Amino acid sequence: MLTIGEFAQMTHLSVRTLRRYHETGLLEPAHVDPSSGYRYYDAGQIPAAQVIARLRELDVPLADVQDILRTADPATRAALVAAHLQRLEDRLARTQAAVASLRRLLRPEPAGVAVELRQVPVQRVAAVQDTVAHADVLDWYAGAMAELDAVVREPSGPAGGLYDNALFSEGRGHVLVHVPVDTPVPAVGRIRTVELPAVELAVAVHVGPHDTIDVTYGELGRWVADHALAVAGPVRETYLTGPRDTPAAAEWRTEIGWPVFRVAGTA
């Protein structure tokens, strides 16, 4: 039998941590002296302790660690670990996006954004639309575009989207994604032919990955506040080049169109 100190040395788990694992039932000693309360461990418990240590290094919650240890089926254990690793990858992606935005925002002399005022005529599109939670937009967009790609084989221009202000301000709003078409398309599934109304837009192009598109939105919004009158209506995005065209994120080009009313003298 090993004392708690000896077991701690062998597993690189502190005595305090081993006591906490005992209290939570995660790793119970092989024997507890009823008179002294001293904890003793068996050498056969070392692998389990090492597995716990590795899982905790990956920030697996204690409850999930218990599920993994108590599951006898290897496939189920692998699925539990894989699910947590996916959560870590998602968190890393969010962290990288935040870092990219901060680097751009904290540049000593921001380059600013080139803005064009553009009259956009009525446009016929094949569209999928719905009210969507902000957190679900990317998954919803992927599904909607897959439907459009399956029906519209030769669109007359790049894909785009309309995003209501409520999507950003309230966390849930109306979203319409589309591809332009010359003639109406049959109604298939969620796809309908829609005519987008004419609008005047202040347009800026976001270059590169979408991680920092919020910064371009902010720069465009500042330009609009200084040079034009923002009007009610959804922001329009046009995906000149995107993930559907190339995996090279540096080559992506996204037009952001902010509905405006031109102020006299604005060029």
Side-chain angles (χ1 to χ4, degrees):
M1 299 292 285
L2 303 169
T3 67
I4 191 170
E6 292 169 336
F7 193 73
Q9 183 178 16
M10 294 178 183
T11 60
H12 290 188
L13 293 171
S14 69
V15 169
R16 181 179 180 181
T17 297
L18 288 171
R19 287 172 178 161
R20 185 171 74 252
Y21 289 172
H22 178 199
E23 292 168 359
T24 60
L26 182 60
L27 181 63
E28 297 184 359
H31 174 70
V32 178
D33 187 288
S35 58
S36 65
Y38 289 167
R39 298 170 173 86
Y40 296 92
Y41 293 81
D42 188 274
Q45 293 178 283
I46 292 174
Q50 292 173 331
V51 168
I52 293 171
R54 293 294 179 271
L55 292 173
R56 293 297 290 152
E57 286 175 2
L58 293 173
D59 293 329
V60 178
L62 288 178
D64 291 349
V65 173
Q66 286 180 324
D67 289 340
I68 292 169
L69 292 177
R70 293 172 180 173
T71 300
D73 179 51
T76 303
R77 286 200 302 267
L80 290 170
V81 174
H84 182 72
L85 292 178
Q86 184 60 55
R87 290 194 293 270
L88 290 179
E89 290 179 359
D90 293 343
R91 185 189 308 168
L92 176 60
R94 292 193 297 270
T95 301
Q96 290 173 331
V99 169
S101 292
L102 283 172
R103 283 176 174 166
R104 182 172 167 187
L105 286 167
L106 295 175
R107 289 179 303 188
E109 296 181 2
V113 62
V115 179
E116 171 194 352
L117 287 172
R118 183 185 303 169
Q119 292 281 355
V120 179
V122 174
Q123 185 180 28
R124 178 186 289 131
V125 299
V128 175
Q129 55 187 317
D130 203 350
T131 299
V132 183
H134 189 273
D136 300 331
V137 165
L138 292 180
D139 289 340
W140 182 89
Y141 172 87
M145 288 308 306
E147 290 184 44
L148 288 167
D149 287 340
V151 172
V152 184
R153 299 303 177 92
E154 296 184 1
S156 58
L162 279 68
Y163 302 91
D164 270 355
N165 294 337
L167 181 70
F168 307 102
S169 61
E170 306 296 334
R172 185 177 182 83
H174 186 263
V175 179
L176 181 151
V177 296
H178 63 82
V179 292
V181 292
D182 293 325
T183 58
V185 298
V188 178
R190 298 184 295 173
I191 297 175
R192 298 293 183 272
T193 300
V194 175
E195 285 199 347
L196 303 181
V199 65
E200 184 171 19
L201 300 174
V203 179
V205 177
H206 174 75
V207 178
H210 299 156
D211 293 345
T212 58
I213 199 169
D214 60 317
V215 181
T216 303
Y217 261 83
E219 292 174 347
L220 177 59
R222 182 169 56 185
W223 189 97
V224 169
D226 291 341
H227 298 87
L229 295 177
V231 299
V235 173
R236 298 193 182 193
E237 293 185 0
T238 303
Y239 309 112
L240 304 177
T241 307
R244 297 164 67 243
D245 306 301
T246 173
E251 299 178 12
W252 297 351
R253 300 290 185 273
T254 305
E255 278 190 348
I256 304 170
W258 200 299
V260 296
F261 179 82
R262 190 189 308 245
V263 176
T266 302

CSV table of all heavy atoms in Angstrom, one decimal, residues 70-101:
chain,number,residue,atom,x,y,z
A,70,ARG,N,-16.0,5.8,-15.8
A,70,ARG,CA,-17.0,4.8,-15.4
A,70,ARG,C,-17.5,4.1,-16.7
A,70,ARG,O,-18.3,3.1,-16.5
A,70,ARG,CB,-18.1,5.5,-14.7
A,70,ARG,CG,-17.7,6.0,-13.3
A,70,ARG,CD,-18.8,6.8,-12.6
A,70,ARG,NE,-18.4,7.2,-11.3
A,70,ARG,CZ,-19.1,8.1,-10.6
A,70,ARG,NH1,-20.2,8.5,-11.0
A,70,ARG,NH2,-18.6,8.5,-9.4
A,71,THR,N,-17.2,4.5,-17.8
A,71,THR,CA,-17.7,3.9,-19.1
A,71,THR,C,-16.8,2.8,-19.5
A,71,THR,O,-15.6,3.0,-19.7
A,71,THR,CB,-17.8,5.0,-20.2
A,71,THR,OG1,-18.7,6.0,-19.8
A,71,THR,CG2,-18.3,4.3,-21.5
A,72,ALA,N,-17.3,1.6,-19.6
A,72,ALA,CA,-16.5,0.5,-20.0
A,72,ALA,C,-16.3,0.3,-21.5
A,72,ALA,O,-15.3,-0.2,-21.9
A,72,ALA,CB,-17.1,-0.8,-19.5
A,73,ASP,N,-17.2,0.9,-22.3
A,73,ASP,CA,-17.1,0.7,-23.7
A,73,ASP,C,-16.1,1.7,-24.3
A,73,ASP,O,-16.2,2.9,-24.2
A,73,ASP,CB,-18.5,1.0,-24.3
A,73,ASP,CG,-18.4,0.9,-25.9
A,73,ASP,OD1,-17.9,-0.1,-26.4
A,73,ASP,OD2,-18.9,1.9,-26.5
A,74,PRO,N,-15.0,1.2,-25.0
A,74,PRO,CA,-14.0,2.1,-25.5
A,74,PRO,C,-14.6,3.1,-26.5
A,74,PRO,O,-14.1,4.3,-26.6
A,74,PRO,CB,-13.1,1.1,-26.2
A,74,PRO,CG,-13.3,-0.2,-25.6
A,74,PRO,CD,-14.7,-0.2,-25.2
A,75,ALA,N,-15.5,2.7,-27.4
A,75,ALA,CA,-16.1,3.6,-28.3
A,75,ALA,C,-16.8,4.8,-27.7
A,75,ALA,O,-16.7,6.0,-28.1
A,75,ALA,CB,-17.0,2.9,-29.3
A,76,THR,N,-17.5,4.5,-26.6
A,76,THR,CA,-18.2,5.6,-25.9
A,76,THR,C,-17.3,6.5,-25.2
A,76,THR,O,-17.4,7.7,-25.2
A,76,THR,CB,-19.2,4.9,-24.8
A,76,THR,OG1,-20.1,4.0,-25.4
A,76,THR,CG2,-20.0,6.0,-24.1
A,77,ARG,N,-16.2,5.9,-24.6
A,77,ARG,CA,-15.2,6.8,-24.0
A,77,ARG,C,-14.5,7.7,-25.1
A,77,ARG,O,-14.3,8.9,-24.8
A,77,ARG,CB,-14.1,5.9,-23.4
A,77,ARG,CG,-14.5,5.3,-22.0
A,77,ARG,CD,-13.3,4.9,-21.2
A,77,ARG,NE,-12.4,4.0,-22.0
A,77,ARG,CZ,-12.5,2.7,-21.9
A,77,ARG,NH1,-13.4,2.1,-21.1
A,77,ARG,NH2,-11.7,1.9,-22.6
A,78,ALA,N,-14.2,7.1,-26.2
A,78,ALA,CA,-13.6,7.9,-27.3
A,78,ALA,C,-14.6,9.1,-27.7
A,78,ALA,O,-14.1,10.2,-28.0
A,78,ALA,CB,-13.3,7.0,-28.5
A,79,ALA,N,-15.8,8.8,-27.8
A,79,ALA,CA,-16.8,9.8,-28.2
A,79,ALA,C,-16.9,10.9,-27.2
A,79,ALA,O,-17.0,12.1,-27.6
A,79,ALA,CB,-18.2,9.1,-28.4
A,80,LEU,N,-16.8,10.6,-25.9
A,80,LEU,CA,-16.9,11.6,-24.9
A,80,LEU,C,-15.6,12.5,-25.0
A,80,LEU,O,-15.7,13.7,-24.8
A,80,LEU,CB,-16.9,10.9,-23.5
A,80,LEU,CG,-18.3,10.2,-23.1
A,80,LEU,CD1,-18.1,9.4,-21.8
A,80,LEU,CD2,-19.4,11.3,-23.0
A,81,VAL,N,-14.5,11.9,-25.2
A,81,VAL,CA,-13.3,12.7,-25.3
A,81,VAL,C,-13.3,13.5,-26.5
A,81,VAL,O,-12.9,14.7,-26.5
A,81,VAL,CB,-12.0,11.8,-25.3
A,81,VAL,CG1,-10.8,12.6,-25.6
A,81,VAL,CG2,-11.9,11.0,-23.9
A,82,ALA,N,-13.8,13.0,-27.6
A,82,ALA,CA,-13.8,13.7,-28.9
A,82,ALA,C,-14.7,14.9,-28.8
A,82,ALA,O,-14.4,16.0,-29.3
A,82,ALA,CB,-14.3,12.8,-30.0
A,83,ALA,N,-15.8,14.7,-28.1
A,83,ALA,CA,-16.8,15.9,-27.9
A,83,ALA,C,-16.1,17.0,-27.2
A,83,ALA,O,-16.3,18.2,-27.5
A,83,ALA,CB,-18.0,15.4,-27.2
A,84,HIS,N,-15.4,16.7,-26.1
A,84,HIS,CA,-14.7,17.7,-25.4
A,84,HIS,C,-13.6,18.4,-26.2
A,84,HIS,O,-13.4,19.6,-26.2
A,84,HIS,CB,-14.1,17.2,-24.1
A,84,HIS,CG,-13.4,18.2,-23.3
A,84,HIS,ND1,-14.1,19.2,-22.6
A,84,HIS,CD2,-12.1,18.5,-23.1
A,84,HIS,CE1,-13.2,20.0,-22.0
A,84,HIS,NE2,-12.0,19.6,-22.3
A,85,LEU,N,-12.9,17.6,-27.0
A,85,LEU,CA,-11.8,18.2,-27.9
A,85,LEU,C,-12.4,19.1,-28.9
A,85,LEU,O,-11.8,20.2,-29.2
A,85,LEU,CB,-11.0,17.0,-28.6
A,85,LEU,CG,-10.2,16.2,-27.7
A,85,LEU,CD1,-9.5,15.1,-28.5
A,85,LEU,CD2,-9.1,17.0,-27.0
A,86,GLN,N,-13.6,18.8,-29.4
A,86,GLN,CA,-14.3,19.7,-30.3
A,86,GLN,C,-14.6,21.0,-29.6
A,86,GLN,O,-14.5,22.1,-30.2
A,86,GLN,CB,-15.6,19.0,-30.9
A,86,GLN,CG,-16.3,19.9,-31.9
A,86,GLN,CD,-15.4,20.2,-33.1
A,86,GLN,OE1,-14.9,19.2,-33.8
A,86,GLN,NE2,-15.2,21.4,-33.5
A,87,ARG,N,-15.1,20.9,-28.4
A,87,ARG,CA,-15.4,22.1,-27.6
A,87,ARG,C,-14.1,23.0,-27.5
A,87,ARG,O,-14.2,24.2,-27.6
A,87,ARG,CB,-16.0,21.8,-26.3
A,87,ARG,CG,-17.4,21.2,-26.3
A,87,ARG,CD,-18.1,21.3,-25.0
A,87,ARG,NE,-17.4,20.3,-24.0
A,87,ARG,CZ,-17.8,19.1,-23.9
A,87,ARG,NH1,-18.8,18.6,-24.6
A,87,ARG,NH2,-17.2,18.3,-23.0
A,88,LEU,N,-13.0,22.3,-27.2
A,88,LEU,CA,-11.7,23.1,-27.1
A,88,LEU,C,-11.3,23.7,-28.4
A,88,LEU,O,-10.9,24.9,-28.4
A,88,LEU,CB,-10.6,22.1,-26.7
A,88,LEU,CG,-10.6,21.6,-25.2
A,88,LEU,CD1,-9.4,20.6,-25.0
A,88,LEU,CD2,-10.6,22.7,-24.2
A,89,GLU,N,-11.5,23.0,-29.5
A,89,GLU,CA,-11.2,23.6,-30.8
A,89,GLU,C,-12.1,24.8,-31.1
A,89,GLU,O,-11.7,25.8,-31.7
A,89,GLU,CB,-11.4,22.5,-31.9
A,89,GLU,CG,-10.3,21.5,-31.9
A,89,GLU,CD,-10.5,20.4,-33.0
A,89,GLU,OE1,-11.5,20.5,-33.7
A,89,GLU,OE2,-9.6,19.5,-33.0
A,90,ASP,N,-13.4,24.7,-30.8
A,90,ASP,CA,-14.3,25.8,-31.0
A,90,ASP,C,-13.9,27.0,-30.1
A,90,ASP,O,-13.9,28.2,-30.6
A,90,ASP,CB,-15.7,25.4,-30.6
A,90,ASP,CG,-16.3,24.4,-31.5
A,90,ASP,OD1,-15.8,24.2,-32.6
A,90,ASP,OD2,-17.3,23.7,-31.2
A,91,ARG,N,-13.5,26.7,-28.9
A,91,ARG,CA,-13.0,27.8,-28.0
A,91,ARG,C,-11.7,28.5,-28.6
A,91,ARG,O,-11.6,29.7,-28.6
A,91,ARG,CB,-12.7,27.3,-26.6
A,91,ARG,CG,-12.4,28.4,-25.6
A,91,ARG,CD,-11.9,27.7,-24.3
A,91,ARG,NE,-12.9,26.8,-23.8
A,91,ARG,CZ,-12.6,25.9,-22.8
A,91,ARG,NH1,-11.3,25.9,-22.2
A,91,ARG,NH2,-13.5,25.1,-22.4
A,92,LEU,N,-10.8,27.6,-29.1
A,92,LEU,CA,-9.6,28.2,-29.7
A,92,LEU,C,-9.9,29.0,-30.9
A,92,LEU,O,-9.3,30.1,-31.1
A,92,LEU,CB,-8.7,27.0,-30.1
A,92,LEU,CG,-7.4,27.4,-30.8
A,92,LEU,CD1,-6.5,28.3,-30.0
A,92,LEU,CD2,-6.6,26.2,-31.3
A,93,ALA,N,-10.9,28.6,-31.7
A,93,ALA,CA,-11.2,29.4,-32.9
A,93,ALA,C,-11.8,30.8,-32.5
A,93,ALA,O,-11.5,31.8,-33.1
A,93,ALA,CB,-12.3,28.7,-33.7
A,94,ARG,N,-12.6,30.8,-31.4
A,94,ARG,CA,-13.1,32.0,-30.9
A,94,ARG,C,-12.0,32.9,-30.4
A,94,ARG,O,-12.0,34.1,-30.6
A,94,ARG,CB,-14.2,31.8,-29.8
A,94,ARG,CG,-15.5,31.1,-30.3
A,94,ARG,CD,-16.6,31.2,-29.3
A,94,ARG,NE,-16.3,30.5,-28.1
A,94,ARG,CZ,-16.6,29.2,-27.9
A,94,ARG,NH1,-17.2,28.5,-28.9
A,94,ARG,NH2,-16.3,28.6,-26.8
A,95,THR,N,-11.1,32.3,-29.7
A,95,THR,CA,-10.0,33.1,-29.1
A,95,THR,C,-9.1,33.7,-30.2
A,95,THR,O,-8.7,34.8,-30.2
A,95,THR,CB,-9.1,32.2,-28.2
A,95,THR,OG1,-9.9,31.7,-27.2
A,95,THR,CG2,-7.9,33.0,-27.7
A,96,GLN,N,-8.8,32.9,-31.3
A,96,GLN,CA,-8.0,33.4,-32.4
A,96,GLN,C,-8.8,34.5,-33.1
A,96,GLN,O,-8.1,35.5,-33.5
A,96,GLN,CB,-7.7,32.2,-33.4
A,96,GLN,CG,-6.8,31.2,-32.8
A,96,GLN,CD,-6.6,30.0,-33.7
A,96,GLN,OE1,-7.6,29.6,-34.4
A,96,GLN,NE2,-5.5,29.3,-33.7
A,97,ALA,N,-10.1,34.4,-33.2
A,97,ALA,CA,-10.8,35.5,-33.9
A,97,ALA,C,-10.8,36.8,-33.1
A,97,ALA,O,-10.6,37.8,-33.6
A,97,ALA,CB,-12.3,35.0,-34.1
A,98,ALA,N,-10.9,36.6,-31.7
A,98,ALA,CA,-10.8,37.8,-30.9
A,98,ALA,C,-9.4,38.4,-30.9
A,98,ALA,O,-9.3,39.7,-31.0
A,98,ALA,CB,-11.1,37.4,-29.4
A,99,VAL,N,-8.4,37.6,-31.0
A,99,VAL,CA,-7.0,38.1,-31.1
A,99,VAL,C,-6.8,38.9,-32.4
A,99,VAL,O,-6.2,40.0,-32.4
A,99,VAL,CB,-6.0,37.0,-30.9
A,99,VAL,CG1,-4.6,37.5,-31.3
A,99,VAL,CG2,-6.0,36.5,-29.5
A,100,ALA,N,-7.3,38.3,-33.5
A,100,ALA,CA,-7.2,39.0,-34.8
A,100,ALA,C,-7.9,40.3,-34.8
A,100,ALA,O,-7.3,41.3,-35.3
A,100,ALA,CB,-7.7,38.0,-35.9
A,101,SER,N,-9.1,40.4,-34.2
A,101,SER,CA,-9.8,41.6,-34.2
A,101,SER,C,-9.0,42.7,-33.3
A,101,SER,O,-8.9,43.8,-33.7
A,101,SER,CB,-11.2,41.4,-33.6
A,101,SER,OG,-12.0,40.7,-34.5
